[in-house]
Amino acid sequence: LKRGQVFSEEFSICKRLGYLVFGELSAFGSDINGKKTTSQFFYRPGNRVVTSFTSFNSEISSIESIKALSSCVLLFITFDDLKAVCHVEPCFHEIARKIGGRQLMISAIQIAALKQLDATEQIEALNNDHKIFFNVPFRSQLVSYTGIGRSNLISILKALGI
């Protein structure tokens, strides 16, 4: 994917399950007030599996879009192709289910670990590994993902020299 290209679109059924080789993506959607919120970042080494899990697994409209923050390489399989493989070799259904469950657990652990840190520590931790998140176009996503207010984020960035 090129930077800015969409992997999956909000309000559409997510039809692809991807494996991230390199790059960064974000998942974002609208809350009940119509405000855009970021639910997840996909990056290596942690978040290798990329999809809107509930949409992909249940074939329902997604509540989020997934978009490339940088140039990305993803290997992917479509829902129909995965279903065909599982029909031919039923053990793949169990593998796919475990991959989805494992990835959801990894995401939950990453978010929980981040929330254990104070605001400055959160920013330092993200900046150490994922400097692209701090580019000006992505700062609003960073605000919604961390829950740190925009003015606090700017103050922390200045204090840390980022």
Side-chain angles (χ1 to χ4, degrees):
L1 295 175
K2 294 179 182 175
R3 179 179 171 195
Q5 196 171 1
V6 175
F7 179 80
S8 176
E9 193 75 52
E10 185 178 18
F11 307 119
S12 297
I13 297 172
C14 182
K15 296 282 190 181
R16 299 186 286 181
L17 176 72
Y19 179 84
L20 183 61
V21 177
F22 75 81
E24 296 90 10
L25 299 98
S26 68
F28 58 93
S30 302
D31 66 14
I32 58 172
N33 298 318
K35 181 182 172 191
K36 290 286 182 197
T37 59
T38 300
S39 57
Q40 185 172 358
F41 288 107
F42 298 96
Y43 50 84
R44 298 255 326 168
N47 293 24
R48 289 178 258 218
V49 178
V50 178
T51 195
S52 181
F53 288 97
T54 303
S55 175
F56 183 82
N57 290 331
S58 304
E59 293 185 278
I60 60 172
S61 294
S62 179
I63 60 169
E64 62 190 1
S65 291
I66 300 173
K67 189 174 183 179
L69 298 176
S70 64
S71 181
C72 298
V73 172
L74 290 121
L75 307 174
F76 71 88
I77 188 168
T78 66
F79 181 83
D80 291 337
D81 289 342
L82 181 59
K83 199 160 78 172
V85 168
C86 291
H87 179 73
V88 172
E89 190 57 59
C91 69
F92 276 99
H93 179 72
E94 184 63 20
I95 293 168
R97 191 182 68 72
K98 285 183 179 180
I99 288 171
R102 180 178 177 275
Q103 191 58 44
L104 288 173
M105 188 179 306
I106 288 170
S107 297
I109 289 168
Q110 287 173 336
I111 291 169
L114 197 61
K115 297 297 180 187
Q116 297 298 315
L117 304 174
D118 70 29
T120 301
E121 291 169 330
Q122 286 183 37
I123 298 305
E124 286 178 314
L126 288 169
N127 185 56
N128 286 340
D129 297 324
H130 309 289
K131 294 190 185 314
I132 193 165
F133 297 164
F134 295 88
N135 290 349
V136 173
F138 309 126
R139 286 190 181 167
S140 62
Q141 290 183 329
L142 198 57
V143 166
S144 71
Y145 181 69
T146 61
I148 299 170
R150 189 169 196 73
S151 60
N152 286 345
L153 176 65
I154 291 169
S155 295
I156 292 168
L157 294 175
K158 284 181 182 176
L160 295 174
I162 299 173

